[in-house]
Amino acid sequence: MSAYAHQMERAISAQSLSSRGGSELGSQYVIESVFYMKSFTATIFISGLVTVGVLLITLLISLVVMLQSCQSRNAGVVDEFQKLNDDYSYCKIFTLHAELNGLEADEFPAVCKGHAIQYIKDGQFARDINFTLELAENYFGTLTSRADGLDVVLIDIDDIFTSSPKCSDVLMDRIDQSWCTDCIQEAKHMRHTLTLRLFMKLRTSGWSVILFSRKHEGLRDVTTNLLISAGYRGWSSLIMRLDDEMQMDSREYLSRRMTIMHEDGFRITGLISSRMDALTGQSLGKRFFKIPNPIYYKFEHHTESRNI
């Protein structure tokens, strides 16, 4: 081999070695670059996950706090609503026992003075009086009065007319005047209208109706005119107190008059009143119906008694 051939071989060998060395270095650079890029991407991905996790935890905590707050508020509303219902129910029961025992307005719990109008405003009074008078109508509708005219129905007219059309001073301390007046006048009008409807149905069905009052006989003409102006006509008689009966307890007075009616041959088929003195005496007859009273009635009657 010539010197020139050896020189060419060495040059080719050197170039070949140089090429291999460059390739290895290039591969190492590419591997390191790829590895670096993958690590950076993973770091970004992990950082994103951590951020999302923190946001989710924060959101969860906020929801828990809001839920607890809502539950607390709802519990407070429910408790308050339950308390109002309990107070309202208690006052209705207390009013019934006040009627039974003749308690005065001063003996009513303070909380009942605030619920006195609620019975009317909620419409419960309207429902109660409608149901009661419907029961009475159904009862008398199943019966027929005899031709002798001695089967009678007694109706308390002191429920129809009261001495004072104004709200009591006791109620005025706690309830807006216009609202109180509107509610009470509405309740009175409803009671008068439904009682008149029952009266007219009884008269149409042939029943003899006797009206009675606790007021003095001297007010007969005034009372008669009021009854006529209110639409009452055709009653059989109107019972009012005589002089010697004015000092009697109302229970004694009413019981005495009913006993006299029985002795005179009358058959009391039914008695209609909202007051316990007329419903707890003797000689009441076959059936009696208690017209519901608004809770305020005791306060109003208390004012009337002070003004008489």
Side-chain angles (χ1 to χ4, degrees):
M1 183 179 294
S2 64
Y4 175 77
H6 284 293
Q7 184 178 357
M8 288 297 294
E9 184 178 355
R10 284 196 300 268
I12 293 171
S13 298
Q15 184 178 359
S16 177
L17 288 174
S18 175
S19 298
R20 287 199 301 270
S23 178
E24 289 176 0
L25 288 174
S27 298
Q28 183 178 358
Y29 173 77
V30 171
I31 292 172
E32 289 179 354
S33 298
V34 171
F35 180 77
Y36 172 76
M37 292 298 294
K38 289 183 178 179
S39 298
F40 180 72
T41 303
T43 302
I44 294 175
F45 180 72
I46 293 172
S47 299
L49 288 178
V50 171
T51 303
V52 172
V54 170
L55 290 174
L56 288 175
I57 293 173
T58 303
L59 178 61
L60 181 60
I61 293 173
S62 299
L63 290 174
V64 171
V65 172
M66 291 174 61
L67 180 60
Q68 290 177 343
S69 177
C70 289
Q71 288 177 338
S72 299
R73 285 198 298 269
N74 290 339
V77 171
V78 171
D79 291 342
E80 183 65 22
F81 182 75
Q82 185 63 46
K83 184 179 184 302
L84 288 174
N85 279 343
D86 290 344
D87 289 345
Y88 183 66
S89 299
Y90 170 75
C91 290
K92 285 186 63 178
I93 295 298
F94 190 94
T95 299
L96 175 60
H97 285 79
E99 292 184 74
L100 286 170
N101 295 283
L103 302 182
E104 296 299 330
D106 294 340
E107 300 177 80
F108 271 65
V111 66
C112 293
K113 297 172 185 177
H115 287 276
I117 296 301
Q118 202 68 26
Y119 182 50
I120 305 170
K121 183 184 177 186
D122 288 348
Q124 189 59 50
F125 174 66
R127 290 189 289 273
D128 288 351
I129 195 171
N130 266 296
F131 290 148
T132 300
L133 293 179
E134 183 179 345
L135 286 173
E137 290 177 9
N138 292 339
Y139 170 71
F140 292 114
T142 62
L143 305 175
T144 303
S145 61
R146 303 179 195 179
D148 58 12
L150 295 177
D151 293 319
V152 297
V153 179
L154 273 61
I155 296 181
D156 187 346
I157 63 168
D158 289 338
D159 286 334
I160 302 172
F161 305 110
T162 54
S163 301
S164 173
K166 298 180 180 179
C167 298
S168 72
D169 295 336
V170 180
L171 282 177
M172 289 293 88
D173 292 339
R174 294 178 176 266
I175 302 173
D176 175 76
Q177 184 171 3
S178 61
W179 179 40
C180 174
T181 302
D182 291 343
C183 285
I184 290 181
Q185 293 306 320
E186 178 184 351
K188 288 180 180 179
H189 178 71
M190 182 184 307
R191 182 170 60 187
H192 300 172
T193 301
L194 295 177
T195 304
L196 176 60
R197 185 186 71 183
L198 176 61
F199 170 82
M200 296 177 68
K201 285 188 175 182
L202 290 171
R203 292 293 301 124
T204 301
S205 300
W207 290 96
S208 296
V209 179
I210 295 178
L211 308 178
F212 66 92
S213 172
R214 299 160 188 77
K215 295 181 175 61
H216 188 264
E217 176 70 25
L219 298 173
R220 177 175 291 273
D221 290 343
V222 174
T223 303
T224 299
N225 290 334
L226 287 173
L227 285 168
I228 293 174
S229 64
Y232 288 83
R233 291 176 176 81
W235 62 84
S236 297
S237 63
L238 172 60
I239 298 174
M240 302 188 75
R241 287 195 190 194
L242 302 174
D243 289 338
D244 62 342
E245 295 173 324
M246 290 303 296
Q247 301 303 318
M248 288 182 181
D249 178 78
S250 59
R251 285 184 174 83
E252 181 183 358
Y253 154 66
L254 293 171
S255 180
R256 174 187 177 186
R257 285 302 188 98
M258 292 179 197
T259 299
I260 292 174
M261 290 179 63
H262 279 290
E263 292 174 352
D264 289 342
F266 288 99
R267 297 179 293 271
I268 302 177
T269 306
L271 188 153
I272 301 165
S273 175
S274 72
R275 306 191 186 187
M276 288 298 183
D277 58 355
L279 302 171
T280 54
Q282 298 177 351
S283 304
L284 296 180
K286 293 181 179 179
R287 186 75 61 92
F288 47 94
F289 299 90
K290 184 186 182 305
I291 298 177
N293 266 319
I295 295 176
Y296 75 83
Y297 93 103
K298 264 293 180 181
F299 303 121
E300 183 183 31
H301 292 175
H302 182 64
T303 301
E304 290 176 11
S305 66
R306 290 185 300 173
N307 293 335
I308 294 175

